[in-house]
Amino acid sequence: MLEAAHSTDSAGNEGAISVSRLRAGGMAGRVVVRWIDRLCTRPRSVSIGLEELEKQEEVEMEVKVEVEVEVEVEVEAEIERRSREGDHEVTALRCMAVNNKDNVTRSSSECPSYLDVCCTSPLPPTTTTAPPTPYRSNCGTRNYQGIDVRIQGFKDNQGQFAEFPWMTAILKKELVDGTQKNFYVCGGSLIHPSIVLTVAHCVGKLGASQLTVRLGEWDTQRNYEPHPYQDRGVNAIVIHPDYNQGGALYNDFALLYLDSPAELSYHVDTVCLGIPFDYNHCLVTGWGKDKFGKEGVYQNVLKKVDLPLWDYGRCQDALRTTRLGRYFNLHQSFVCAGGEAGKDSCSGDGGSPLVCQNLETGKYAQAGMVAWGIGCGTAGVPGVYADVPYAYDWIVQEADNLLRNTPGYTRSYWEVKH
């Protein structure tokens, strides 16, 4: 609506007012145009410059006022352009007075001034919505259907987006032609918002400043996921003191202390530690190669493979049938899984979590991390994993040392939640 922008001729007749007449009448500068948010309230004001209006060819602003009968406002070219561009401040300028059609006079209108015209707001009615419920972390929760989107037609055991929210990618920063790039090194798991668990043989020869931890990743080659990944730097690397890096790789455990905590949500959350699980309901996830050797190709989308755990004696016996020989002794810090043809973790999966389900709660606890193997997916030969329950006490002790000065942290985090 227009306010105080009408005039009368010498005979006192109300008439149309063009831009030129407004300027001739001394109304240079800007014309104040106002619209009403809701019925008969004082409107908000915006201004449209006369200079802007005159730039449009054949633009004319006409105001026809018939007191106590009808008010019609038309401001064409500039208003239409701004409306199409989504400028809600001017969308409501084309409005009709309800006084005439409602058969009431201006004097009986509910509007406080006879120049105030009751209009309909172009904006949808304002609705009050409750704020979203804050996310509550729940370790080991698998999102079977993914979140916000479900991809159908997968044929190669790809996981859904956010199906395994504890999965992390550990990246190494390198300069390439003067530009910093991140290269995939191995997998890991989020066990606390500030701590990632991985294998020592992956990070033992690297410095903390060389690493980036990526949380919430799914497709490593494209960025179309409904929720973005989170990158974190690493402040400290803690290697198990008894890690053997001479080839045997036993006690293959490492913790990465992040430079800032992860923002926990449905696609980024922790895996459980220290809870019982079923040995026959386990799986491993990762972006590693699909087969052993030069023919193997790294995976773009996170994959999952169902694998049963093997008991220690059976695993050692199976490994002795390989090139390791009949006198091979499997270290107690390892656990075995798999042994089915074509189903296994492989090169590049190092550090990726092997998780097993607690059938009572449905939660997943970490049972191991990909460590080494004899080939990939050979029938009767299981893969070898760092045994996470074996190192549980060391993990909690070192995590406790790292988190000691973290506000709100108590050791009960591990005892109750995990």
Side-chain angles (χ1 to χ4, degrees):
M1 90 178 203
L2 282 180
E3 181 179 33
H6 68 283
S7 67
T8 58
D9 59 20
S10 58
N13 297 319
E14 309 276 301
I17 305 176
S18 67
V19 172
S20 58
R21 289 185 62 190
L22 284 170
R23 190 176 292 285
M27 295 188 67
R30 304 183 76 79
V31 179
V32 175
V33 181
R34 313 201 302 169
W35 64 275
I36 297 176
D37 287 296
R38 54 188 180 275
L39 187 65
C40 294
T41 60
R42 298 302 296 175
R44 291 184 289 158
S45 296
V46 295
S47 58
I48 301 174
L50 299 181
E51 294 290 341
E52 297 172 41
L53 291 174
E54 287 183 326
K55 289 179 182 178
Q56 302 292 327
E57 188 174 345
E58 297 181 358
V59 172
E60 184 178 70
M61 179 177 68
E62 294 185 352
V63 181
K64 183 178 181 181
V65 180
E66 295 179 4
V67 178
E68 295 182 343
V69 181
E70 182 180 39
V71 174
E72 180 176 355
V73 178
E74 292 186 357
V75 183
E76 291 292 344
E78 181 70 10
I79 304 307
E80 291 295 327
R81 180 180 71 80
R82 294 192 183 190
S83 297
R84 287 194 300 270
E85 294 176 356
D87 188 344
H88 296 305
E89 292 291 341
V90 297
T91 305
L93 287 174
R94 184 189 298 275
C95 63
M96 296 293 295
V98 299
N99 298 71
N100 186 51
K101 70 177 182 179
D102 290 344
N103 198 29
V104 296
T105 64
R106 189 66 57 98
S107 59
S108 64
S109 168
E110 296 179 8
C111 300
S113 168
Y114 78 93
L115 286 176
D116 286 342
V117 180
C118 298
C119 303
T120 302
S121 169
L123 301 178
T126 301
T127 58
T128 302
T129 57
T133 303
Y135 177 75
R136 184 175 180 179
S137 175
N138 194 9
C139 76
T141 299
R142 177 182 177 184
N143 300 308
Y144 287 87
Q145 306 301 317
I147 58 170
D148 294 345
V149 61
R150 175 168 174 78
I151 309 300
Q152 295 182 337
F154 280 150
K155 299 178 181 179
D156 297 313
N157 295 320
Q158 292 94 335
Q160 293 293 325
F161 172 71
E163 186 173 354
F164 307 101
W166 52 81
M167 184 69 200
T168 68
I170 299 173
L171 313 175
K172 180 184 177 183
K173 295 180 282 189
E174 293 185 10
L175 283 178
V176 178
D177 297 329
T179 302
Q180 181 174 292
K181 302 285 187 179
N182 290 318
F183 294 94
Y184 178 77
V185 177
C186 58
S189 56
L190 191 67
I191 62 172
H192 178 276
S194 293
I195 297 180
V196 166
L197 175 65
T198 188
V199 287
H201 80 256
C202 169
V203 298
K205 296 181 180 180
L206 300 173
S209 62
Q210 295 177 272
L211 299 177
T212 295
V213 169
R214 181 160 294 177
L215 311 163
E217 180 62 284
W218 181 60
D219 188 333
T220 62
Q221 301 301 310
R222 292 182 290 177
N223 293 324
Y224 60 92
E225 292 97 328
H227 299 276
Y229 59 73
Q230 302 174 25
D231 279 355
R232 295 293 186 270
V234 177
N235 278 347
I237 302 173
V238 181
I239 304 294
H240 194 286
D242 296 325
Y243 166 59
N244 178 280
Q245 57 183 345
L249 300 182
Y250 51 78
N251 291 308
D252 196 8
F253 307 102
L255 300 178
L256 306 182
Y257 182 52
L258 307 183
D259 62 356
S260 62
E263 296 178 15
L264 300 185
S265 64
Y266 292 101
H267 75 302
V268 177
D269 207 342
T270 57
V271 67
C272 298
L273 297 181
I275 66 172
F277 51 78
D278 188 279
Y279 277 43
N280 294 312
H281 290 80
C282 305
L283 54 85
V284 63
T285 53
W287 290 280
K289 290 185 176 182
D290 56 354
K291 62 181 67 174
F292 187 68
K294 294 181 179 180
E295 296 181 357
V297 178
Y298 284 97
Q299 307 303 293
N300 293 343
V301 174
L302 184 67
K303 293 185 70 173
K304 59 186 178 182
V305 179
D306 296 320
L307 301 171
L309 288 182
W310 287 38
D311 65 59
Y312 176 84
R314 182 185 174 210
C315 178
Q316 180 171 264
D317 290 343
L319 292 174
R320 285 177 174 177
T321 66
T322 70
R323 66 174 184 267
L324 296 174
R326 59 188 296 188
Y327 300 109
F328 172 76
N329 291 315
L330 182 67
H331 194 269
Q332 293 289 339
S333 64
F334 292 120
V335 67
C336 299
E340 298 181 38
K343 295 182 67 175
D344 201 356
S345 54
C346 204
S347 300
D349 281 323
S352 295
L354 171 70
V355 296
C356 300
Q357 192 175 30
N358 180 299
L359 298 183
E360 183 177 343
T361 65
K363 291 186 174 186
Y364 280 83
Q366 188 158 354
M369 296 180 289
V370 178
W372 57 273
I374 305 298
C376 298
T378 303
V381 180
V384 181
Y385 297 76
D387 188 340
V388 171
Y390 174 87
Y392 176 80
D393 290 340
W394 175 83
I395 292 170
V396 171
Q397 181 60 51
E398 293 300 326
D400 191 53
N401 292 336
L402 291 170
L403 298 167
R404 183 168 297 166
N405 297 321
T406 301
Y409 168 75
T410 65
R411 192 182 177 88
S412 63
Y413 174 88
W414 310 101
E415 297 170 355
V416 176
K417 185 177 178 182
H418 291 62

